[in-house]
Amino acid sequence: MNNKSKKPAQSAETVIEIENLHVAFGDNEVLKGVDLSLQRGENLVVLGRSGTGKSVLIKVIVGLLKPDSGRVVVLGQDVVDSNTTELDQLRLKVGFSFQNSALYDSMTVRENLEFPLVRNVRNLSRAEIDRAVEEALDDVGLKQAINQMPSELSGGQRKRIGIARTLMLKPEIMLYDEPTAGLDPITCTDINNLINDVQERRGASSIIITHDLTCAKEVGDRVAMLFDGQFQRQGTFDEVFATDDKRVQQFYHYNFTE
Amino acid sequence: MIPPSPSTPRPFITARIDKMLIALYEVARFVGRFFREVLLPPYEGREVIRQCYEVGVRSLPLISLTGFITGIVFTNQSRPSLAQFGATSWLPSLVSIALVRAIGPLVTALIAAGRVGSNIGAELSSMRVTEQIDAMEVSATKPFKFLVSTRVLATTFMIPVLTLYAISVGLLGAFLNVNSNEATSFRSFITEVFGTITFLDVFSSLAKSIVFGFTIGMVGCYQGYNSSKGTEGVGKAANAAVVTSMFLVFIEELFSLQIVNAIRSF
Ligand SMILES: Nc1ncnc2c1ncn2[C@@H]1O[C@H](COP(=O)(O)OP(=O)(O)OP(=O)(O)O)[C@@H](O)[C@H]1O
Ligand SMILES: [Mg+2]
């Protein structure tokens, strides 16, 4: 298994900056002082056990959850202090692909993909919309599903449609919540290629949450590991796993030995 | 350990009242948000029409049946009392007043609460549970406008229309009953009915239905949009939507009775 070979040119521009982020639900302290930054054009993989607050972290980034304290700056805009209009402006540039796909189940695949486009970009011609939908479906290899309902799709197909829907607005930043969970190895490879493709062709910066170390290795320029509410280890894939820390080693061995 | 003092229930009561006040504040904010979002462009014309159609189609069969049967039964049950005074010729005016002022709006609202209210509650809460509303939120597609404003507008507009329809079907049932028993002609039935109903009757009945429609849409949307996560949230939201809106409809009915009586005696 090769590490990600081709590293795209990275400028020094920071697109996401998080400082000392705290999030608690009642007594359940989930994030306890998270610091994180994402550079333009970079793929950052976030690893961590179930329930450590990975999904919570990216929900804070798009303003779905309000943190108890801390600073979150996305594309130069403070998310915590933004009003709804400012937040909506920002959200057009940040794509969020949900862990459970979150497809609109009363709409066909085509309508799902059209939805963010027609509601944000007025005065598009029918042909332009169709072209955008077909392009996005082509990216995830599901052209044939265009007229199906979400309930008729498999879990993996739903996941891919969810990613396609997120790509419709051509975001500068992509947040993938477990894009390869529950997919077969071949589809996983397809998704990994798609994530790299989005990075290379569109110059997008991405945070990829995953349990899947193969995916982490193939897409991640940098890996950050979340333990006990903080990022304990950051660096390239090899740097992060070059340690005797038991928790890190367990993660590695589960994925790569036996 | 401190022995339980007689005043122990007090914090319980204040906690309850606190909770109630917070809930009331939340509801007020939700309603306020509806008016803000409904007045500001862009407008959701197409989606409103689609929702109107949904509301109509969903309740039409049941309202037809219920309105018609109520018309027949009410006429039939009122006959003996009037017959004691030899006044069965008053049946059309009696029935029309009852249908227009009370039965029509009430029956329509209750059926819509059961059919439409529960549906809105279940639909929105399942969208909440499966993060579909969050997905709309993060793609800047304004879910409140798209989901809530449209549904509330649709029920506010459609319940009065359905009420007029229920009244007409009820009157048809009444006519068939009167026609077969007293051999009243259609023409004299209609003359009788329109001689009795006043403008105030129709107007107050429609005004009332607008309030009912608004209530049903608002309660369903509030319960669904703010439902708790998890599958049991869906059932709870649907149930609460029906129970709360039926309760409120009766309260509003009482209020409107007072108001209309005050206007009449004016
Ligand atoms: N809306 C919420 N209300 C209350 N608690 C929440 C909420 N969202 C998340 N939590 C709690 O926060 C913790 C972290 O949840 P999160 O979904 O971020 O985990 P995760 O790292 O994404 O796990 P997984 O890999 O299983 O997806 C959990 O303990 C969860 O119970
Ligand atoms: Mg998660």
Side-chain angles (χ1 to χ4, degrees), chain A residues 25 28 30 49-56 65 99 178 211:
Chain A
F25 299 98
N28 180 11
V30 179
R49 291 185 55 188
S50 192
T52 46
K54 305 182 297 295
S55 300
V56 168
L65 287 174
Q99 188 167 359
E178 304 198 6
H211 295 295

Side-chain angles (χ1 to χ4, degrees), chain A residues 126-146:
Chain A
R126 190 65 244 174
E128 285 171 307
I129 298 171
D130 284 345
R131 188 149 12 93
V133 169
E134 275 164 33
E135 212 175 287
L137 281 178
D138 210 22
D139 280 344
V140 297
L142 275 176
K143 253 185 164 160
Q144 73 283 5
I146 188 159

